Amino acid sequence: MKKHIWLSLPALALCLLLAFGTSAAAFSDVPAGSWYGPAVTEMERAGLISGYPDGRFGPRDPISAAQFVSVAVRCAGLQPVQGQTGHWAAGALQTALQAGWYDWDEIPPTGERFDQPISRQLAVKILMRSQLPQARGDYITESQKMRDLSQLDGRYYEPVLAAYAAGIVSGDSLGNFNPKSGLSRAEACILFQKALKLSGHSQNTSTPAPEPQPAVTVRGGVSENGWLQVIGTQLCNEKGEAVVLRGLSSHGMQWYGQFAGRQSIQNTARYGANLFRVAMYTAENGYISNPAAVKQSVVQAVDAAIANDMYVILDWHILSDGNPMTYRNQADAFFSEMAERYRDQPAVLYEICNEPNGGVTWEANIKPYAQQIIRTIRSRSPRAVVLVGSGTWSQDIHLAAQSPLTEKNVMYTLHFYAGTHGTDLRQRIDQVLAAGLPIFVSEWGTSRADGSGGVFLTEAGQWLDFLDQRGISWANWSLCDKNETSAALRPSTSPNAVWGPEDLSQSGAFVFSRLSS
Ligand code: IDC
C-alpha cells in the first residue's frame, strides 16, 4: 500500500496562516457593527481566512495577488500543487493558473507579482472563474451600470459583467468600478462571501460546485478501497479518500486476449498496478460478430483482475463504428447482463463507449446513449462508477462540459497519445476540471495516435506528471506483444510467465516504472 501525500493538513494550515496570519476568534480591528464585520467573521469561522499574529485582520490593507488566489483555491476546495518558486503561496497560485482562472502574464508563476496588490478587474475574473464559472452577464444591461467601462481591459469584460449581473459588485458612489485600483482585504471578504452564497444556492443547477478535495491520495486495491465514488472531480474510495488507479489496458480481446489472463494481470500488479482495462472491440471481429466467445474471454479477464484484487474497466470498445447509437441495443443488453453479474462487485467500472468519432455529436448521439446505458447499469448495480467517452476519439470533454450528465459517479474519459497530443489537450483538462467535470484517462499511449511511432517518453513523462498533480487515474495502451511501439511487451513474450525487464518493450519499461511512483 502506498500513500501519496499531496499536502498534509499542517502544511495546509500553514498556507492559510501565511495567507492571513494566525487564526483568532475575533479581530481587534474588525468592529462587529462595521460593513465588513459579518463577512470577515463568517469567513474566519469557515476556516477560509485568518488574521495577523497580533490579532489584527488589517481590513483596509490592500490584498495581494498571493493572498487573494490562496483564498480562491481554498474556497474552491482545491489543493495546492507543486509551485515554481519557494514562495509560500506558489502551490496555490500554480493550482489556479492550471485551472485557467488567470493567464500566465497576469500573475507570472515566476513570482515577481505575487506580493503586489491585485487589481479589481483581475480579482473579479479569478473570483468568477473559480467560484461561479457558469455565470454570465448581458452586455447591454450590465455595461450601463459602469461609468468607467472604458477603463476596463477587454479580457475582463465577461467576468466583470457577470459579477455585476450576479450582484457581486456594484461600483462606488459615483458608479465607477475602478478596474485598475486595488481592493482591501475587507472588500475581498465581501466578494468571496457573496460568491460562495451564490454558488451554494446554485448547487442544484447544471454544474454542482466542486466539493472539497481530500488531502491524502491512496492507491491500493479493492480490498483496501471498496466501492469507489466521485466527489467533486476526484475519484475516491468508500471512505471518501482520494484514490488513484493506474494500470494497463488490454489490446483488442479478440486478438490478444491471452495477455488478459491471471498471470499477465498479476505481472502488472507486481509493478504496482491496481487497475486493468478489458478492451472489448465491438467491430473488427469483436463482440458484434462473435458475441459468445468474446464475452467469455472478457468475463474471464474481469474475473482474473478481481482475483488479483484489482479494479477493472469493462470497455465497450467502439472505434471504426464511431457512433455509439449504432449498436445501442447490443450495448444495453451486454451492460445489463454484466451489471447483473457483477452487481455485488466493487471492482468493476463500466466504460460505455471507448471513442466516439466521425459525425457524432454529444447532444444528439453520445449523451442520450449514455443516459440509457447508465440507467441500465444502475438498475442492476446502483453504486457502479461509469466512464463516458466524447467526440473526436474521447477528446471533446469541453463539449460534454457544456451539457454534463446529471447522474452521480460518472467520469468523463480523456484519451491521449504522447506523440500526437500535448499542451492544448492538457489545458482542456484544466478547463473542464475547473468547470467541475471529473476526468479519467482510460487510455493513453507513449506512441503516436496510430499506436506506432516514437516512443515519446519525454512527452509521456510530462503527461503523467500532469495527471499525478491532479490525482487523475490512467490506463496505458496496451498490454500485448504486438510489433508496434505502444505495446508494453517485446514480441514473443509469454503471457503465462513472470516477466523480467528483458520482456518489456521501451514503452513497457517506462510505463511499468510509473505504475507505483
Ligand atoms: C489500435 C491498435 C492497433 C490496431 C488498431 C485498429 O494499437 O494494433 O490495428 O487499433 O484496431 C485508439 C483506440 C485503440 C487503438 C489505439 C492506437 O482506442 O483501439 O489501437 N488508439 O491507434 N485511440 C487512439 C489511439
Side-chain angles (χ1 to χ4, degrees):
M1 182 190 74
K2 281 200 176 294
K3 291 207 181 267
H4 289 253
I5 310 297
W6 280 359
L7 190 72
S8 65
L9 284 176
L12 232 183
L14 184 67
C15 286
L16 281 176
L17 194 77
L18 289 163
F20 276 97
T22 70
S23 169
F27 300 108
S28 55
D29 55 352
V30 177
S34 60
W35 57 269
Y36 50 83
V40 171
T41 308
E42 202 177 308
M43 295 276 290
E44 191 271 340
R45 291 221 174 107
L48 298 169
I49 57 154
S50 43
Y52 296 129
D54 61 3
R56 289 182 314 115
F57 174 66
R60 293 180 196 283
D61 297 353
I63 189 163
S64 71
Q67 291 171 345
F68 192 92
V69 171
S70 297
V71 179
V73 168
R74 185 86 177 123
C75 290
L78 297 182
Q79 295 295 329
V81 293
Q82 179 71 43
Q84 296 186 23
T85 72
H87 189 280
W88 62 266
L93 284 145
Q94 191 66 21
T95 296
L97 182 63
Q98 287 170 354
W101 297 347
Y102 59 84
D103 297 321
W104 199 97
D105 63 304
E106 291 171 302
I107 312 174
T110 36
E112 58 269 31
R113 283 201 215 134
F114 285 6
D115 293 317
Q116 286 179 12
I118 192 169
S119 70
R120 299 171 88 86
Q121 58 185 6
L122 178 55
V124 167
K125 174 174 162 182
I126 292 169
L127 180 81
M128 298 307 283
R129 290 213 173 160
S130 61
Q131 316 303 323
L132 293 165
Q134 312 279 327
R136 296 287 177 274
D138 171 53
Y139 176 81
I140 309 264
T141 317
E142 305 309 327
S143 61
Q144 285 170 7
K145 299 177 184 168
M146 277 178 72
R147 262 187 50 167
D148 57 350
L149 182 72
S150 61
Q151 301 295 312
L152 190 67
D153 291 333
R155 70 211 293 191
Y156 303 107
Y157 268 63
E158 195 186 271
V160 169
L161 296 178
Y164 266 86
I168 290 176
V169 292
S170 51
D172 64 16
S173 54
L174 295 173
N176 290 325
F177 173 59
N178 304 309
K180 301 205 169 117
S181 312
L183 75 164
S184 68
R185 287 157 61 95
E187 286 176 307
C189 270
I190 299 273
L191 291 186
F192 276 113
Q193 193 205 27
K194 283 186 182 171
L196 284 172
K197 290 224 160 100
L198 285 171
S199 67
H201 287 157
S202 59
Q203 262 182 26
N204 293 332
T205 61
S206 56
T207 310
E211 293 174 45
Q213 308 284 309
V216 177
T217 303
V218 295
R219 304 268 337 280
V222 183
S223 56
E224 184 188 335
N225 289 304
W227 284 98
L228 301 173
Q229 54 176 327
V230 182
I231 302 178
T233 56
Q234 180 64 50
L235 185 64
C236 292
N237 65 14
E238 198 160 323
K239 287 182 272 181
E241 298 163 327
V243 70
V244 173
L245 305 183
R246 290 190 206 131
L248 276 286
S249 172
S250 76
H251 195 284
M253 287 298 291
Q254 77 277 36
W255 297 312
Y256 290 96
Q258 68 272 27
F259 290 101
R262 218 162 152 145
Q263 183 60 50
S264 289
I265 294 178
Q266 194 180 96
N267 287 334
T268 68
R270 284 178 52 244
Y271 285 88
N274 57 356
L275 173 70
F276 187 71
R277 177 180 187 242
V278 182
M280 189 183 79
Y281 274 66
T282 42
E284 299 188 55
N285 288 327
Y287 178 77
I288 297 301
S289 55
N290 198 4
V294 171
K295 187 163 65 190
Q296 195 193 356
S297 71
V298 162
V299 166
Q300 280 171 5
V302 171
D303 291 346
I306 293 172
N308 281 300
D309 195 31
M310 291 162 94
Y311 288 94
V312 54
I313 297 175
L314 197 41
D315 163 38
W316 183 259
H317 200 84
I318 63 167
L319 188 60
S320 59
D321 47 336
N323 188 345
M325 286 298 202
T326 307
Y327 297 121
R328 173 172 51 155
N329 294 340
Q330 290 90 332
D332 196 81
F334 174 78
F335 282 113
S336 167
E337 187 183 335
M338 291 298 128
E340 180 67 36
R341 181 182 194 107
Y342 295 112
R343 62 184 308 150
D344 300 319
Q345 188 43 260
V348 183
L349 295 86
Y350 299 87
E351 182 172 358
I352 62 177
C353 48
N354 168 49
E355 292 185 352
N357 64 85
V360 286
T361 67
W362 173 255
E363 284 299 329
N365 313 111
I366 308 167
K367 190 175 184 185
Y369 167 84
Q371 286 166 329
Q372 178 181 334
I373 304 297
I374 292 170
R375 214 177 309 124
T376 295
I377 293 171
R378 292 281 164 72
S379 67
R380 273 87 183 168
S381 182
R383 300 171 77 174
V385 169
V386 178
L387 309 179
V388 183
S390 57
T392 319
W393 298 278
S394 289
Q395 291 167 55
D396 288 349
I397 45 177
H398 58 305
L399 301 181
Q402 288 171 8
S403 172
L405 294 154
T406 52
E407 288 82 358
K408 289 175 103 180
N409 294 329
V410 167
M411 302 185 87
Y412 297 79
T413 60
L414 181 287
H415 291 179
F416 72 85
Y417 280 76
T420 304
H421 310 111
T423 319
D424 290 353
L425 206 50
R426 289 197 287 269
Q427 279 173 355
R428 192 178 281 180
I429 292 180
D430 276 337
Q431 276 163 15
V432 306
L433 284 176
L437 213 70
I439 296 300
F440 196 118
V441 174
S442 59
E443 187 187 300
W444 70 274
T446 56
S447 64
R448 286 190 316 251
D450 62 2
S452 54
V455 282
F456 298 89
L457 300 187
T458 308
E459 291 80 0
Q462 284 171 348
W463 267 104
L464 294 190
D465 292 346
F466 175 92
L467 299 182
D468 285 352
Q469 284 163 6
R470 289 157 184 75
I472 295 177
S473 298
W474 54 255
N476 171 259
W477 186 265
S478 69
L479 190 64
C480 75
D481 67 346
K482 185 170 177 174
N483 190 13
E484 62 181 7
T485 53
S486 56
L489 303 168
R490 293 216 176 123
S492 305
T493 301
S494 165
N496 301 315
V498 174
W499 301 329
E502 65 284 0
D503 294 312
L504 304 179
S505 67
Q506 253 188 298
S507 179
F510 171 79
V511 171
F512 278 46
S513 77
R514 298 290 301 235
L515 288 170
S516 61
S517 60

mmCIF file of all heavy atoms in Angstrom, residues 196-217:
data_model
loop_
_atom_site.group_PDB
_atom_site.id
_atom_site.type_symbol
_atom_site.label_atom_id
_atom_site.label_comp_id
_atom_site.label_asym_id
_atom_site.label_seq_id
_atom_site.Cartn_x
_atom_site.Cartn_y
_atom_site.Cartn_z
ATOM 1 N N LEU A 196 -19.699 32.803 -2.645
ATOM 2 C CA LEU A 196 -19.918 31.497 -2.018
ATOM 3 C C LEU A 196 -21.399 31.254 -1.767
ATOM 4 O O LEU A 196 -21.914 30.156 -1.959
ATOM 5 C CB LEU A 196 -19.146 31.406 -0.691
ATOM 6 C CG LEU A 196 -17.637 31.178 -0.837
ATOM 7 C CD1 LEU A 196 -16.952 31.303 0.517
ATOM 8 C CD2 LEU A 196 -17.350 29.818 -1.447
ATOM 9 N N LYS A 197 -22.084 32.317 -1.341
ATOM 10 C CA LYS A 197 -23.526 32.159 -1.114
ATOM 11 C C LYS A 197 -24.226 31.782 -2.413
ATOM 12 O O LYS A 197 -25.067 30.897 -2.445
ATOM 13 C CB LYS A 197 -24.112 33.462 -0.574
ATOM 14 C CG LYS A 197 -23.644 33.734 0.851
ATOM 15 C CD LYS A 197 -24.782 34.200 1.742
ATOM 16 C CE LYS A 197 -24.412 33.996 3.205
ATOM 17 N NZ LYS A 197 -23.960 35.180 3.901
ATOM 18 N N LEU A 198 -23.846 32.464 -3.506
ATOM 19 C CA LEU A 198 -24.495 32.185 -4.787
ATOM 20 C C LEU A 198 -24.157 30.789 -5.283
ATOM 21 O O LEU A 198 -25.010 30.066 -5.782
ATOM 22 C CB LEU A 198 -24.067 33.212 -5.839
ATOM 23 C CG LEU A 198 -24.707 34.587 -5.680
ATOM 24 C CD1 LEU A 198 -24.056 35.577 -6.632
ATOM 25 C CD2 LEU A 198 -26.198 34.522 -5.952
ATOM 26 N N SER A 199 -22.908 30.385 -5.140
ATOM 27 C CA SER A 199 -22.551 29.054 -5.653
ATOM 28 C C SER A 199 -23.221 27.986 -4.809
ATOM 29 O O SER A 199 -23.639 26.962 -5.324
ATOM 30 C CB SER A 199 -21.043 28.864 -5.698
ATOM 31 O OG SER A 199 -20.520 28.830 -4.390
ATOM 32 N N GLY A 200 -23.380 28.247 -3.523
ATOM 33 C CA GLY A 200 -24.100 27.303 -2.664
ATOM 34 C C GLY A 200 -25.549 27.182 -3.092
ATOM 35 O O GLY A 200 -26.084 26.085 -3.213
ATOM 36 N N HIS A 201 -26.166 28.326 -3.417
ATOM 37 C CA HIS A 201 -27.573 28.288 -3.810
ATOM 38 C C HIS A 201 -27.775 27.656 -5.161
ATOM 39 O O HIS A 201 -28.839 27.151 -5.453
ATOM 40 C CB HIS A 201 -28.137 29.714 -3.835
ATOM 41 C CG HIS A 201 -28.323 30.246 -2.459
ATOM 42 N ND1 HIS A 201 -28.374 31.574 -2.180
ATOM 43 C CD2 HIS A 201 -28.434 29.614 -1.287
ATOM 44 C CE1 HIS A 201 -28.527 31.747 -0.861
ATOM 45 N NE2 HIS A 201 -28.566 30.560 -0.320
ATOM 46 N N SER A 202 -26.744 27.725 -6.000
ATOM 47 C CA SER A 202 -26.944 27.206 -7.356
ATOM 48 C C SER A 202 -26.491 25.764 -7.474
ATOM 49 O O SER A 202 -26.299 25.248 -8.539
ATOM 50 C CB SER A 202 -26.190 28.070 -8.362
ATOM 51 O OG SER A 202 -24.825 28.054 -8.031
ATOM 52 N N GLN A 203 -26.332 25.090 -6.315
ATOM 53 C CA GLN A 203 -25.808 23.726 -6.382
ATOM 54 C C GLN A 203 -26.712 22.740 -7.100
ATOM 55 O O GLN A 203 -26.243 21.717 -7.557
ATOM 56 C CB GLN A 203 -25.533 23.199 -4.978
ATOM 57 C CG GLN A 203 -24.069 23.361 -4.644
ATOM 58 C CD GLN A 203 -23.715 22.813 -3.301
ATOM 59 O OE1 GLN A 203 -24.375 21.932 -2.801
ATOM 60 N NE2 GLN A 203 -22.665 23.341 -2.724
ATOM 61 N N ASN A 204 -28.003 23.052 -7.186
ATOM 62 C CA ASN A 204 -28.885 22.103 -7.851
ATOM 63 C C ASN A 204 -28.973 22.345 -9.347
ATOM 64 O O ASN A 204 -29.641 21.624 -10.055
ATOM 65 C CB ASN A 204 -30.295 22.184 -7.250
ATOM 66 C CG ASN A 204 -30.258 21.684 -5.825
ATOM 67 O OD1 ASN A 204 -29.423 20.855 -5.493
ATOM 68 N ND2 ASN A 204 -31.149 22.197 -5.003
ATOM 69 N N THR A 205 -28.321 23.377 -9.836
ATOM 70 C CA THR A 205 -28.379 23.634 -11.275
ATOM 71 C C THR A 205 -27.352 22.768 -11.988
ATOM 72 O O THR A 205 -26.723 21.929 -11.373
ATOM 73 C CB THR A 205 -28.131 25.121 -11.577
ATOM 74 O OG1 THR A 205 -26.845 25.436 -11.101
ATOM 75 C CG2 THR A 205 -29.159 26.003 -10.914
ATOM 76 N N SER A 206 -27.136 23.032 -13.254
ATOM 77 C CA SER A 206 -26.422 22.064 -14.100
ATOM 78 C C SER A 206 -25.085 21.566 -13.549
ATOM 79 O O SER A 206 -24.868 20.382 -13.446
ATOM 80 C CB SER A 206 -26.212 22.686 -15.478
ATOM 81 O OG SER A 206 -25.534 23.899 -15.343
ATOM 82 N N THR A 207 -24.177 22.484 -13.173
ATOM 83 C CA THR A 207 -22.882 22.007 -12.705
ATOM 84 C C THR A 207 -22.775 22.188 -11.195
ATOM 85 O O THR A 207 -22.793 23.310 -10.718
ATOM 86 C CB THR A 207 -21.741 22.807 -13.367
ATOM 87 O OG1 THR A 207 -21.982 22.813 -14.758
ATOM 88 C CG2 THR A 207 -20.405 22.159 -13.101
ATOM 89 N N PRO A 208 -22.644 21.110 -10.433
ATOM 90 C CA PRO A 208 -22.525 21.269 -8.993
ATOM 91 C C PRO A 208 -21.200 21.913 -8.627
ATOM 92 O O PRO A 208 -20.202 21.704 -9.320
ATOM 93 C CB PRO A 208 -22.593 19.830 -8.470
ATOM 94 C CG PRO A 208 -22.360 18.944 -9.644
ATOM 95 C CD PRO A 208 -22.594 19.731 -10.882
ATOM 96 N N ALA A 209 -21.195 22.696 -7.537
ATOM 97 C CA ALA A 209 -19.943 23.297 -7.097
ATOM 98 C C ALA A 209 -19.008 22.177 -6.656
ATOM 99 O O ALA A 209 -19.454 21.205 -6.060
ATOM 100 C CB ALA A 209 -20.215 24.228 -5.929
ATOM 101 N N PRO A 210 -17.711 22.295 -6.986
ATOM 102 C CA PRO A 210 -16.809 21.224 -6.571
ATOM 103 C C PRO A 210 -16.769 21.104 -5.053
ATOM 104 O O PRO A 210 -16.740 22.112 -4.353
ATOM 105 C CB PRO A 210 -15.454 21.650 -7.115
ATOM 106 C CG PRO A 210 -15.622 22.990 -7.719
ATOM 107 C CD PRO A 210 -17.069 23.367 -7.692
ATOM 108 N N GLU A 211 -16.814 19.891 -4.559
ATOM 109 C CA GLU A 211 -16.728 19.686 -3.123
ATOM 110 C C GLU A 211 -15.267 19.665 -2.718
ATOM 111 O O GLU A 211 -14.391 19.446 -3.555
ATOM 112 C CB GLU A 211 -17.400 18.360 -2.765
ATOM 113 C CG GLU A 211 -18.903 18.410 -2.999
ATOM 114 C CD GLU A 211 -19.543 17.052 -2.786
ATOM 115 O OE1 GLU A 211 -19.227 16.386 -1.810
ATOM 116 O OE2 GLU A 211 -20.360 16.678 -3.636
ATOM 117 N N PRO A 212 -14.976 19.877 -1.427
ATOM 118 C CA PRO A 212 -13.579 19.879 -1.000
ATOM 119 C C PRO A 212 -12.878 18.581 -1.381
ATOM 120 O O PRO A 212 -13.469 17.513 -1.294
ATOM 121 C CB PRO A 212 -13.678 19.997 0.521
ATOM 122 C CG PRO A 212 -15.015 20.559 0.770
ATOM 123 C CD PRO A 212 -15.893 20.127 -0.359
ATOM 124 N N GLN A 213 -11.665 18.702 -1.843
ATOM 125 C CA GLN A 213 -10.923 17.520 -2.252
ATOM 126 C C GLN A 213 -10.146 16.990 -1.050
ATOM 127 O O GLN A 213 -9.568 17.749 -0.297
ATOM 128 C CB GLN A 213 -9.937 17.892 -3.360
ATOM 129 C CG GLN A 213 -10.577 18.626 -4.513
ATOM 130 C CD GLN A 213 -11.369 17.697 -5.411
ATOM 131 O OE1 GLN A 213 -10.874 16.677 -5.855
ATOM 132 N NE2 GLN A 213 -12.616 18.044 -5.659
ATOM 133 N N PRO A 214 -10.111 15.659 -0.888
ATOM 134 C CA PRO A 214 -9.354 15.096 0.228
ATOM 135 C C PRO A 214 -7.862 15.399 0.086
ATOM 136 O O PRO A 214 -7.362 15.547 -1.016
ATOM 137 C CB PRO A 214 -9.609 13.601 0.100
ATOM 138 C CG PRO A 214 -10.735 13.466 -0.863
ATOM 139 C CD PRO A 214 -10.735 14.661 -1.714
ATOM 140 N N ALA A 215 -7.167 15.480 1.218
ATOM 141 C CA ALA A 215 -5.755 15.856 1.179
ATOM 142 C C ALA A 215 -4.838 14.672 0.931
ATOM 143 O O ALA A 215 -3.723 14.824 0.520
ATOM 144 C CB ALA A 215 -5.372 16.518 2.503
ATOM 145 N N VAL A 216 -5.332 13.473 1.190
ATOM 146 C CA VAL A 216 -4.474 12.293 1.092
ATOM 147 C C VAL A 216 -4.934 11.438 -0.071
ATOM 148 O O VAL A 216 -6.112 11.190 -0.242
ATOM 149 C CB VAL A 216 -4.551 11.473 2.392
ATOM 150 C CG1 VAL A 216 -3.721 10.207 2.277
ATOM 151 C CG2 VAL A 216 -4.110 12.314 3.568
ATOM 152 N N THR A 217 -4.003 11.000 -0.902
ATOM 153 C CA THR A 217 -4.356 10.130 -2.004
ATOM 154 C C THR A 217 -3.844 8.731 -1.721
ATOM 155 O O THR A 217 -2.674 8.554 -1.452
ATOM 156 C CB THR A 217 -3.716 10.628 -3.306
ATOM 157 O OG1 THR A 217 -4.134 11.957 -3.505
ATOM 158 C CG2 THR A 217 -4.148 9.771 -4.478
#
